Amino acid sequence: MKIGIIIPARNALPYLKEMLNSVQAQTRPAHAYIAEDRSTDDTHEWLRDHPDLYAGMRRNRRRLGWAGSLNAAAALALADGCDALFTASADDRLHPECIARCAAVLGADGGRDFVVPYAQQFGEAEHVQASLPDAGLDDLVRWPPLIDKALIRREVWEQVGGYSAKATPPGTFGTAEDWDWWIRVWKAGFTRYSVVETPLYFVRVHPGQLSDARAEHHAATVDLLAKLHPDLPWTAESRQWPPQHRTTRRQG
């Protein structure tokens, strides 16, 4: 199984080397594919000068935001023959065993559609981001029951169609497109998954990130998702911030 780690990157110059080094340090081989989203801090120039750190890189012709850039990175990986994709962020890093542990579970017991590891915050916060091992659509109207970092089989990504730019509220370049993604994954019937209850992915929390005006973005996202998925039982509780859920999630 060839595994691609798909990484959107915008103004990530201070952190990108750490992420790419963590990809190269994996005990099971994996390949980085990067979509550079019109950075203004020389991220593109740095990537261009370090081709040994990734298997594929493209610069978006215009700024696409989180969802569009993730899809662009995925397209690079799929075109290069990857059988599974691991979603990542340019300012984070992977545990050396992340891909090996997730890949082993993905192929166990007849196979899984995707595998989600626990994540560990670092920087301004140090919470563990957990995911539910038995989530259903009812959980998805309150808050995403899974974090947005996962190892996903190629056929799942292709059939669901990647992340949707329609799930980005106006005036933002990305808030909770993973929420819409998981809803569409469930609707497509890809519910055979596992959670690795060990922090294998490290999420950087930047100074001031958790104090951002996230409640406004959250409410706007719920209103948008309710329009995209009117068949789900959205309630006033869905719009509440912080959400009431068993998982610990990043709030910015």
Side-chain angles (χ1 to χ4, degrees):
M1 181 185 294
K2 184 176 182 178
I3 295 176
I5 300 177
I6 54 177
I7 307 171
R10 176 174 168 80
N11 293 343
L13 190 58
Y15 320 107
L16 192 51
K17 183 177 181 180
E18 185 175 7
M19 164 53 83
L20 295 177
N21 283 342
S22 77
V23 172
Q24 294 199 332
Q26 292 300 297
T27 58
R28 187 194 191 285
H31 310 271
Y33 299 88
I34 306 165
E36 195 282 305
D37 199 25
R38 309 304 299 184
S39 296
T40 59
D41 70 344
D42 295 329
T43 291
H44 177 253
E45 290 74 15
W46 185 88
L47 285 168
R48 186 185 57 200
D49 293 340
H50 295 83
D52 56 310
L53 294 178
Y54 52 83
M57 189 272 288
R58 59 159 285 181
R59 190 177 204 199
N60 299 333
R61 293 186 175 180
R62 59 181 177 83
R63 188 175 177 188
L64 298 179
W66 173 259
S69 296
L70 194 67
N71 290 343
L76 290 174
L78 296 176
D80 200 32
C82 288
D83 304 296
L85 308 175
F86 190 94
T87 51
S89 295
D91 53 352
D92 297 338
R93 65 175 183 259
L94 306 173
H95 186 285
E97 291 287 333
C98 182
I99 298 303
R101 293 280 301 275
C102 290
V105 176
L106 191 70
D109 301 325
R112 298 287 189 270
D113 296 321
F114 58 91
V115 175
V116 186
Y118 275 23
Q120 173 70 57
Q121 295 176 340
F122 70 98
E124 193 171 78
E126 297 182 355
H127 298 296
V128 170
Q129 295 179 329
S131 293
L132 300 184
D134 53 357
L137 272 174
D138 287 346
D139 296 298
L140 283 159
V141 298
R142 291 181 291 163
W143 184 244
L146 308 172
I147 68 169
D148 61 340
K149 306 301 185 289
L151 181 62
I152 304 161
R153 286 192 182 276
R154 178 190 186 108
E155 53 267 33
V156 176
W157 186 274
E158 292 182 325
Q159 184 165 328
V160 176
Y163 275 38
S164 175
K166 294 181 180 179
T168 301
T172 73
F173 284 94
T175 54
E177 289 80 6
D178 59 305
W179 196 343
D180 170 77
W181 158 259
W182 289 126
I183 290 173
R184 290 187 293 117
V185 165
W186 253 256
K187 286 184 174 182
F190 294 112
T191 58
R192 184 171 169 78
Y193 77 100
S194 292
V195 173
V196 179
E197 297 182 355
T198 302
L200 297 175
Y201 187 91
F202 296 95
V203 177
R204 187 185 305 272
V205 180
H206 298 277
Q209 182 173 331
L210 298 185
S211 60
D212 186 26
R214 191 63 177 86
E216 181 180 347
H217 288 162
H218 175 77
T221 299
V222 172
D223 290 343
L224 179 57
L225 290 177
K227 294 178 181 179
L228 294 173
H229 303 281
D231 54 315
L232 298 185
W234 304 97
T235 66
E237 181 183 354
S238 303
R239 300 179 84 255
Q240 292 178 358
W241 184 268
Q244 301 300 312
H245 205 287
R246 286 194 284 147
T247 56
T248 300
R249 296 272 303 183
R250 180 170 53 184
Q251 298 183 30

